[in-house]
Amino acid sequence: MDKAQFAERYGPWALIAGASEGTGASFARQLAEKGLNLILVARREGPLEQLALELRAAHGVECITASIDLSAENAAQHLLQEAGDREVGLLILNAGADPNGSMFLDNAIANWDALAMRNVMTVMRAVHAFAASMRERGRGGLMVVGSGACYGGLPGIGVYAATKAFDLVLCEALWAELEPYGVDVLSYVIGRTDTPAHRELMEARGMSIPEGLAHADDVARLGLARLPFGPVCNWGEADDDAMMSATSAAQRRERIRGFAAMAAAYAAKD
């Protein structure tokens, strides 16, 4: 897909939540290069403004920024308000790292509530809000950046893994629901990526930075390339490979197609 086709399919505006650094900033740079205008969202306004200045100067696109706490009850409403009457053809929900680093019972429930709000409720509400207009237009894209933790419960990050499992399953279902309307949905399951947030977390735990971390630019590039071929892309795996999970992305796709066909058959009988 060339730049013009990409902009036609997913433009003229893209909203990226978690855009201040790392993979989110890489998504922003690559989308600006493709000619999309950007709504950049994160908690820290300073890095967002610096990124917006860079992208305006380099690519001549429009960039607006918004400091929004995605763990707040009204976060999705704020995202919609920032978009205003702009035509958002691509929504990328990239925020969602686990800042807690503790066993479930060793942390206050309020911290787990905040993580679940950000990774579950805000994701669900934002996708619901932005997908409605995409369905009406008959084009657009939704990407939720996840984690390999979604494929199994892991001690120490149990709530995080559970929220990412929710996002995966929701994206798979929405992919089947929205595919007939020309809207692409992708759960982008990534592994360890070399980002400032990941480095800070490792250093806070007294752990050395491992070798072989994925580069944020490479991760963003693959995600945008695979967006039209949802519902799942596992970083570092071919479409028919099964390493993170017992099933490959291709197998999960066919499974969802089977469920969709079954549901359509039951609906026809009614």
Side-chain angles (χ1 to χ4, degrees), residues 98-107 111-112 115-116 119-120 147-166 205:
D98 184 357
N100 296 292
S102 71
M103 296 295 184
F104 179 66
L105 294 179
D106 294 337
N107 208 335
N111 293 328
W112 301 127
L115 182 60
N119 288 4
V120 174
S147 163
C150 70
Y151 291 127
L154 299 172
I157 56 170
V159 175
Y160 174 76
T163 64
K164 292 303 183 179
F166 175 93
R205 294 177 177 177

Side-chain angles (χ1 to χ4, degrees), residues 92-133:
I92 298 180
L93 299 175
N94 176 70
D98 184 357
N100 296 292
S102 71
M103 296 295 184
F104 179 66
L105 294 179
D106 294 337
N107 208 335
I109 192 65
N111 293 328
W112 301 127
D113 285 347
L115 182 60
M117 178 62 71
R118 184 184 62 194
N119 288 4
V120 174
M121 299 305 296
T122 295
V123 167
M124 181 180 68
R125 292 168 180 173
V127 167
H128 188 274
F130 286 93
S133 56

Side-chain angles (χ1 to χ4, degrees), residues 219-244:
V219 172
R221 188 174 299 108
L222 178 64
L224 295 177
R226 295 301 300 171
L227 178 57
F229 308 104
V232 181
C233 175
N234 294 318
W235 167 258
E237 299 182 17
D239 192 57
D240 58 354
D241 283 343
M243 292 183 285
M244 291 191 195

Side-chain angles (χ1 to χ4, degrees), residues 16-143:
I16 307 171
S20 60
E21 62 183 23
T23 308
S26 292
F27 276 123
R29 292 187 176 97
Q30 293 178 28
L31 290 173
E33 186 178 355
K34 294 178 183 295
L36 270 65
N37 301 312
L38 300 172
I39 303 170
L40 306 176
V41 175
R43 283 179 301 174
R44 297 181 298 154
E45 184 69 25
L48 286 180
E49 285 294 343
Q50 292 177 5
L51 180 60
L53 287 171
E54 171 196 329
L55 299 180
R56 293 185 195 112
H59 303 289
V61 297
E62 294 184 59
C63 286
I64 66 171
T65 65
S67 175
I68 298 175
D69 180 359
L70 297 174
S71 65
E73 172 71 31
N74 58 357
Q77 181 181 351
H78 282 312
L79 292 176
L80 203 57
Q81 289 173 347
E82 290 297 332
D85 59 0
R86 299 175 182 86
E87 187 176 312
V88 175
L90 178 58
L91 175 68
I92 298 180
L93 299 175
N94 176 70
D98 184 357
N100 296 292
S102 71
M103 296 295 184
F104 179 66
L105 294 179
D106 294 337
N107 208 335
I109 192 65
N111 293 328
W112 301 127
D113 285 347
L115 182 60
M117 178 62 71
R118 184 184 62 194
N119 288 4
V120 174
M121 299 305 296
T122 295
V123 167
M124 181 180 68
R125 292 168 180 173
V127 167
H128 188 274
F130 286 93
S133 56
M134 293 180 189
R135 186 177 67 174
E136 290 177 5
R137 292 193 296 267
R139 63 182 185 85
L142 304 163
M143 183 192 302

